Amino acid sequence: MQERLSWIGVSVAVTLIGFSTLMLGTFSRFGLWPQLIAAFAGLIALEGMRSTATAFVGSHPGLWWVQHAPALGGIALSILFLKLAGRPLRLRRYPDTGSV
């Protein structure tokens, strides 16, 4: 039962990870490939966490809440990516001293 319910969260996490990873990108001569590879790696990690949690809950049914941890972790990762995308890195400017 918990595995079916966790699929809802995993579906939301998958779409958010894909979207937020693409939002991290800026113009690059490499195109979107760095963002696509990062999104793919994040989705593979999410699927690995989900399968590990399913096996763990299968042997310890009392810890049913662990089944939802991968979805929460994926959503937290996408929130972090969206925060980073919303606040681009700025180079520090030094004041002009006027000396030559």
Side-chain angles (χ1 to χ4, degrees), residues 1-11 64 67-68 71:
M1 177 71 174
Q2 294 300 322
E3 185 177 6
R4 290 184 196 172
L5 289 175
S6 72
W7 273 105
I8 297 168
V10 168
S11 299
W64 57 268
Q67 188 74 41
H68 302 284

Side-chain angles (χ1 to χ4, degrees), residues 12-45:
V12 171
V14 163
T15 55
L16 284 176
I17 286 175
F19 173 73
S20 63
T21 306
L22 288 176
M23 292 300 292
L24 282 176
T26 59
F27 177 76
S28 171
R29 63 185 172 136
F30 300 114
L32 289 175
W33 285 107
Q35 289 84 15
L36 292 175
I37 291 171
F40 188 65
L43 297 179
I44 288 174

Side-chain angles (χ1 to χ4, degrees), residues 61-96:
L63 298 173
W64 57 268
W65 54 270
V66 175
Q67 188 74 41
H68 302 284
L72 294 175
I75 291 170
L77 180 67
S78 65
I79 289 172
L80 175 70
F81 283 172
L82 287 174
K83 289 269 190 192
L84 289 174
R87 298 182 61 124
L89 296 175
R90 295 190 177 142
L91 298 176
R92 186 175 189 174
R93 291 187 175 206
Y94 294 102
D96 187 19

